[in-house]
Amino acid sequence: MKLKAIIVEDEETSREILKNYLKKYCPNVEVLGEAANVEEALVLIRNQALDLVFLDVEMPYGNAFDLLDRVGDINFETVFVTAYNHYAIDALNAHASYYLMKPVSIDELIKAVDYVTEVKTKENALQDQVLVPKTNGINGKITIPQQDGFEVLNTADILYCKADDNYTEIFLENNRKKLVSKTLKYFEDALIDSSFVRVHKSYLVNINEVTKYVKGKGGSVVLSNGKEIMVSASKKSNLLSYFK
């Protein structure tokens, strides 16, 4: 699919290099405009229906995070392009789909564009459709350790799991909750054959309890109990693949 994009970068040479790379190696990306600072970028974003923004971190009169805060809710994916690797965690927290280091690697650029293409294709395919999990029903059980032994839970009763340092909070039907001295990764592995998917570094959700997917800044899912959980950009494609 075609991706409508803009490049936000204060260095003209860097903009030209990225634009030429995209034209040669990522022909499905249509660059609609360029911006050298936050104010110019805001004008482009507010006047274009965009799929993708290539975003430098350091710019005059503000940075990438200032820009995203001012934009608010967004429907485009973000690929950060920067010479500074210490922004990686901040970029992930800002729901970046990909993080490219300067000088930009052509292979990494292609991977970034391929990932965004995959996400947007899946989002468009599911637009205005009822979300139907590919795997319905969970006929399993899981044990959780307790001081005096263990408790057996029906996996179908689990709505979602939330990381709490080296503990995991398990949220069940009827507003029940369990705190277990195991990491979220432990439960991700334990439930690998069930309909559970990691949507965020802190959340593991039961696909059969997802009632709505919300596009926007990173995206989110709404569960059957009304709980809305943010979806990391890096987890979005995997989540959407669970629906038909």
Side-chain angles (χ1 to χ4, degrees):
M1 67 174 292
K2 277 284 187 182
L3 297 177
K4 296 179 179 179
I6 63 170
I7 297 172
V8 183
E9 162 68 65
D10 64 313
E11 296 178 1
E12 184 178 358
T13 302
S14 295
R15 291 200 303 271
E16 285 300 313
I17 291 172
L18 181 54
K19 189 165 62 174
N20 290 334
Y21 279 176
L22 290 169
K23 183 177 181 180
K24 185 172 182 179
Y25 300 105
C26 306
N28 67 314
V29 177
E30 180 185 2
V31 178
L32 300 181
E34 303 171 37
N37 55 54
V38 169
E39 297 302 326
E40 291 178 6
L42 279 172
V43 172
L44 288 176
I45 290 170
R46 288 169 177 167
N47 288 283
Q48 303 280 2
L50 299 173
D51 299 303
L52 174 59
V53 172
F54 291 95
L55 186 55
D56 187 18
V57 176
E58 292 288 357
M59 291 178 288
Y61 317 115
N63 60 28
F65 309 107
D66 298 326
L67 172 60
L68 293 176
D69 285 342
R70 290 179 65 181
V71 170
D73 196 26
I74 60 176
N75 285 327
F76 55 78
E77 301 297 313
T78 307
V79 172
F80 277 68
V81 186
T82 180
Y84 306 100
N85 59 14
H86 60 270
Y87 285 117
I89 298 300
D90 290 332
L92 290 174
N93 290 336
H95 301 289
S97 293
Y98 218 89
Y99 188 87
L100 296 174
M101 289 294 299
K102 295 179 182 178
V104 173
S105 159
I106 293 171
D107 288 342
E108 288 300 309
L109 175 62
I110 293 171
K111 287 180 184 177
V113 170
D114 284 349
Y115 180 78
V116 172
T117 302
E118 183 181 5
V119 167
K120 295 309 259 183
T121 299
K122 289 176 178 176
E123 280 188 342
N124 291 343
L126 294 171
Q127 184 73 32
D128 300 324
Q129 291 188 25
V130 175
L131 294 183
V132 180
K134 291 180 179 178
T135 305
N136 281 319
I138 305 173
N139 301 312
K141 296 180 182 293
I142 189 172
T143 60
I144 58 173
Q146 295 183 328
Q147 286 187 341
D148 58 350
F150 61 85
E151 181 178 358
V152 180
L153 298 178
N154 290 317
T155 51
D157 292 339
I158 300 173
L159 301 178
Y160 66 98
C161 303
K162 180 184 178 183
D164 184 3
D165 291 327
N166 289 323
Y167 289 79
T168 297
E169 291 180 286
I170 300 176
F171 292 81
L172 303 157
E173 292 183 342
N174 301 320
N175 295 318
R176 293 176 295 148
K177 185 172 72 171
K178 305 286 183 181
L179 182 63
V180 186
S181 58
K182 295 287 185 182
T183 65
L184 189 61
K185 181 64 167 64
Y186 172 86
F187 286 101
E188 183 181 13
D189 293 340
L191 295 167
I192 195 168
D193 293 326
S194 301
S195 297
F196 285 79
V197 61
R198 188 82 169 257
V199 298
H200 187 277
K201 65 180 181 180
S202 299
Y203 288 97
L204 181 71
V205 304
N206 181 346
I207 283 295
N208 290 305
E209 297 298 329
V210 174
T211 62
K212 186 178 180 181
Y213 171 74
V214 182
K215 294 198 296 185
K217 195 172 183 179
S220 62
V221 289
V222 179
L223 303 184
S224 59
N225 66 343
K227 172 70 175 180
E228 184 170 2
I229 296 174
M230 295 298 293
V231 178
S232 296
S234 60
K235 306 290 187 184
K236 191 183 295 184
S237 179
N238 186 44
L239 166 71
L240 295 174
S241 69
Y242 278 80
F243 297 95
K244 59 184 177 181

